[in-house]
Amino acid sequence: MRLVRFNDDRLGLLTDDGIVDVTDRLGLETNDPLREYATRDLDASEFTDADADYDRGEVRLESPVRRPGKVIAAPLNYENHVEEALADKDIVTQEWFTIEDKGYFLKAPSSVAGPEDGIEVPFSDRRVDHEIELAFVMGEDVKDIDSDDVWDAILGYTILLDVSVRGDQDRSNRKSYDTFTIIGPCVATPDEIDDPHDLEMELKLNGETRQQENTGEMIYSCADIVEYASIGATIEAGDVITTGTPEGVSAITGGDTIDAEIESVGSMAVDVTERDLSFEDVDVEKSQLNE
């Protein structure tokens, strides 16, 4: 199945004929229907042969999960991106580190947006890069889980654009601006994916291929990331886990268009806009705590 959130918080199945609306069929009641679907351990597979309620072109696709409890991200998880980062101090300002060295990082749930929301670059004087990643949505709560058991806890896979301001600020700061976590167009359940570590992914910027890699080149697998993260935190149904980006990251600016595709998952086009704001002009005054 390919699950989508569309038209102001409806949940649907994306089929060859269009979209089957399963919101009422499953009795979903919240404004985050995929997260509710995962939490309640529902099954929409009985509706895969139903007649489509909408043509795909007449609906607005939204981020599959509206507000995940957590977005957990793995840093520097492809060898070729490690080499790229070490050669470009705008990407990494220190020596290479792995998830074993410094762990994962978190992105603000408020940074999540859908492909049709687009990316808004916040500053005209700071480099902002695209990063295509395979991500997945958890289908159940797990804690202290062994990597071999992770696969049964995954609801499905999706495309994630991890947008990043470059600089010295903390990773979670630079990657948590509004619209900096674009997710879509769907969540493909595991039965649609032969092997999540053998998927071709590609990102084009204004029609030019910038990133192209097979997910088999990850350093740490999807299951490894969940196993590590679950040591310190309960990973909950509806949480989003993202697995790192390959080489080829580059700057984006207002007017750009990103086309992102991952084999067996889907594709999405995302437009980039830009705010008229300079980072150097941002002035945060300190409180006089000792007055």
Side-chain angles (χ1 to χ4, degrees), residues 190-199 263-264:
D191 57 288
E192 301 282 349
I193 309 293
D194 290 335
D195 181 356
H197 297 119
D198 186 19
L199 301 176
E263 178 186 1
S264 299

Side-chain angles (χ1 to χ4, degrees), residues 103-122:
Y104 58 85
F105 62 92
L106 297 172
K107 300 194 69 175
S110 57
S111 69
V112 171
E116 295 186 42
D117 295 313
I119 297 166
E120 184 180 68
V121 174

Side-chain angles (χ1 to χ4, degrees), residues 4-283:
V4 294
R5 187 172 68 93
F6 69 101
N7 287 9
D8 296 325
D9 305 322
R10 307 294 293 179
L11 186 69
L13 298 179
L14 180 62
T15 71
D16 292 339
D17 297 324
I19 293 176
V20 177
D21 190 339
V22 298
T23 313
D24 297 330
R25 289 176 167 104
L26 293 173
L28 298 170
E29 299 177 344
T30 70
N31 65 357
D32 206 343
L34 185 63
R35 193 174 176 192
E36 180 185 354
Y37 177 89
T39 302
R40 290 174 53 190
D41 193 26
L42 298 173
D43 184 3
S45 60
E46 64 180 292
F47 306 115
T48 54
D49 293 329
D51 292 336
D53 298 297
Y54 303 92
D55 291 333
R56 179 170 179 170
E58 64 182 2
V59 305
R60 185 178 191 275
L61 294 184
E62 298 156 341
S63 61
V65 183
R66 184 176 185 273
R67 280 292 181 271
K70 295 182 287 299
V71 180
I72 294 174
L76 297 176
N77 200 28
Y78 285 81
E79 292 282 5
N80 55 21
H81 183 51
V82 170
E83 297 171 3
E84 174 181 51
L86 290 176
D88 185 346
K89 293 305 179 185
D90 281 342
I91 300 176
V92 174
T93 57
Q94 55 188 299
E95 291 303 309
W96 173 45
F97 60 88
T98 68
I99 192 172
E100 281 189 322
D101 297 326
K102 295 194 176 181
Y104 58 85
F105 62 92
L106 297 172
K107 300 194 69 175
S110 57
S111 69
V112 171
E116 295 186 42
D117 295 313
I119 297 166
E120 184 180 68
V121 174
F123 305 118
S124 59
D125 57 346
R126 290 288 296 275
R127 175 177 160 185
V128 177
D129 285 1
H130 59 73
E131 299 182 9
I132 186 174
E133 306 191 9
L134 175 70
F136 53 94
V137 178
M138 295 301 294
E140 61 184 68
D141 296 358
V142 299
K143 180 73 169 72
D144 296 324
I145 190 171
D146 185 85
S147 61
D148 291 339
D149 299 324
V150 168
W151 306 109
D152 292 334
I154 292 176
L155 176 66
Y157 299 87
T158 189
I159 305 171
L160 186 146
L161 298 181
D162 177 19
V163 184
S164 308
V165 173
R166 298 307 183 192
D168 294 329
Q169 287 78 21
D170 179 80
R171 247 183 179 80
S172 293
N173 177 341
R174 295 186 289 103
K175 292 172 173 280
S176 286
Y177 290 92
D178 289 350
T179 74
F180 270 29
T181 307
I182 300 293
I183 305 176
C186 66
V187 169
T189 52
D191 57 288
E192 301 282 349
I193 309 293
D194 290 335
D195 181 356
H197 297 119
D198 186 19
L199 301 176
E200 294 295 325
M201 59 181 175
E202 181 179 19
L203 181 145
K204 294 181 179 180
L205 180 62
N206 301 324
E208 179 184 347
T209 297
R210 293 298 180 91
Q211 294 184 273
Q212 190 168 22
E213 186 60 271
N214 188 284
T215 57
E217 298 302 317
M218 288 183 199
I219 299 170
Y220 295 96
S221 72
C222 299
D224 292 336
I225 297 166
V226 175
E227 178 182 39
Y228 183 94
S230 74
I231 295 170
T234 299
I235 312 303
E236 299 173 319
D239 284 354
V240 174
I241 317 293
T242 190
T243 59
T245 196
E247 68 175 341
V249 302
S250 63
I252 56 175
T253 190
D256 287 344
T257 298
I258 294 171
D259 291 290
E261 182 174 4
I262 297 182
E263 178 186 1
S264 299
V265 176
S267 61
M268 59 183 182
V270 181
D271 293 328
V272 182
T273 59
E274 187 173 299
R275 292 180 66 188
D276 185 18
L277 180 66
S278 168
F279 183 80
E280 293 300 324
D281 292 338
V282 175
D283 184 16

